[in-house]
Amino acid sequence: MLLAIDVGNTNTVFALHDGSDVVGEWRCRTEHKRTADEYFVWLQQLMQFNGIDMRVEAVVISSVVPQIVFNLRVLSDRYFNCRPMVVGKPEVELGVPVRVDADTRVGADRLVNTVGAFDRYGGNLIVVDFGTATTFDVVGADGAYEGGVIAPGVNLSLKALSDAAAALPFIDVTKPERVIGTNTRACMESGIFWGYVSMIEGICARIAEEHESPMQVIGTGGLSTLFAQGTDVIDVIDTKLTIHGLVLIDRLNRKGTA
């Protein structure tokens, strides 16, 4: 089995893939002090609880937090007796071109999403990922990563607003019934939800205009389902996009070394 690990700034996802489908998926808080032994005990207990045989034969990692990768390498070497594949390393092929400025480092998650999205939906895409940052990534007609937009994530914006304004509480993200709020909480809920909906619609429209072609919009990330309720601009919600991209990259590279 393949263990695909997606390390984000806030959460880390571990998914076990049997060659045909994901048979188990678990999430933990991203913490650079967590050791390989702690990861293994946690995974072992979850797999046993779900009745899954822990026969990991390969590991592929996408990480936007470099400090985490070392202990994940140790996990792979010590407990699964295999060398992990880390997206972003020069020897790891993506199977799609990356068209950005020279010496620019693109987040591994954005590249992985590009690979997964092109495989499932073809080219001329905008992938909107609702994570710690809200990112808009452009996938060309030939599957190339062509750049994009990075904006503050929803929860990051909420925290900044609450921290900077003493009179404003920290609120959950929800879809308000009305745009015009009649109390502080309702005003904040409206500002966050409809503000981000307007940003999504505006940026996607500007990207499509600049790209000079119709573009399909794919939403991914934890809050994608919520924000899709407020706009028609998102054509497809695919919360498994990153894991799918990791599986494809592992398959491509293992085939190349077979």
Side-chain angles (χ1 to χ4, degrees):
M1 287 195 190
L2 171 68
L3 179 62
I5 306 174
D6 173 32
V7 182
N9 286 295
T10 304
N11 294 313
T12 299
V13 176
F14 293 76
L16 200 61
H17 195 277
D18 66 0
S20 300
D21 203 357
V22 173
V23 296
E25 183 176 311
W26 305 277
R27 183 182 302 264
C28 68
R29 184 165 52 91
T30 298
E31 173 55 69
H32 73 275
K33 294 181 180 180
R34 186 171 284 118
T35 67
D37 301 328
E38 290 174 313
Y39 281 123
F40 179 74
V41 171
W42 176 74
L43 278 171
Q44 185 182 49
Q45 290 177 338
L46 286 169
M47 290 183 186
Q48 288 177 348
F49 180 79
N50 287 275
I52 298 172
D53 186 7
M54 200 172 187
R55 293 180 295 103
V56 174
E57 299 161 332
V59 177
V60 60
I61 301 169
S62 165
S63 177
V64 297
V65 186
Q67 307 96 304
I68 300 290
V69 176
F70 174 78
N71 283 328
L72 292 176
R73 284 184 181 275
V74 176
L75 169 72
S76 181
D77 292 336
R78 180 179 298 167
Y79 291 105
F80 305 132
N81 194 31
C82 65
R83 181 179 177 83
M85 186 180 303
V86 181
V87 177
K89 295 297 181 183
E91 67 273 14
V92 177
E93 295 184 21
L94 300 174
V96 298
V98 178
R99 299 192 184 112
V100 295
D101 295 342
D103 300 322
T104 298
R105 294 191 63 181
V106 181
D109 55 336
R110 304 174 77 183
L111 297 175
V112 171
N113 283 346
T114 296
V115 173
F118 181 62
D119 178 72
R120 282 184 167 166
Y121 309 106
N124 289 328
L125 306 175
I126 303 170
V127 179
V128 186
D129 192 344
F130 296 85
T132 305
T134 301
T135 57
F136 300 74
D137 294 309
V138 177
V139 183
D142 61 348
Y145 177 82
E146 296 186 343
V149 176
I150 301 175
V154 180
N155 287 315
L156 191 63
S157 295
L158 276 173
K159 186 177 187 305
L161 186 61
S162 179
D163 288 349
L168 298 181
F170 187 82
I171 63 170
D172 293 326
V173 186
T174 186
K175 180 186 177 184
E177 294 183 6
R178 292 166 44 87
V179 175
I180 301 173
T182 54
N183 57 67
T184 300
R185 180 173 292 273
C187 289
M188 292 177 67
E189 289 174 350
S190 182
I192 288 293
F193 184 84
W194 294 114
Y196 267 84
V197 165
S198 296
M199 180 184 74
I200 294 161
E201 293 174 338
I203 290 179
C204 287
R206 289 176 182 273
I207 289 174
E209 180 181 2
E210 193 171 293
H211 202 257
E212 297 182 340
S213 65
M215 304 188 77
Q216 190 176 15
V217 179
I218 313 300
T220 190
L223 291 173
S224 57
T225 304
L226 173 64
F227 281 98
Q229 297 175 21
T231 180
D232 294 329
V233 75
I234 300 176
D235 299 297
V236 179
I237 296 295
D238 189 343
T239 58
K240 307 295 184 183
L241 188 63
T242 308
I243 297 302
H244 179 61
L246 280 170
V247 171
L248 292 174
I249 291 170
D250 175 79
R251 191 174 294 161
L252 171 68
N253 285 268
R254 281 204 286 170
K255 185 181 296 183
T257 58

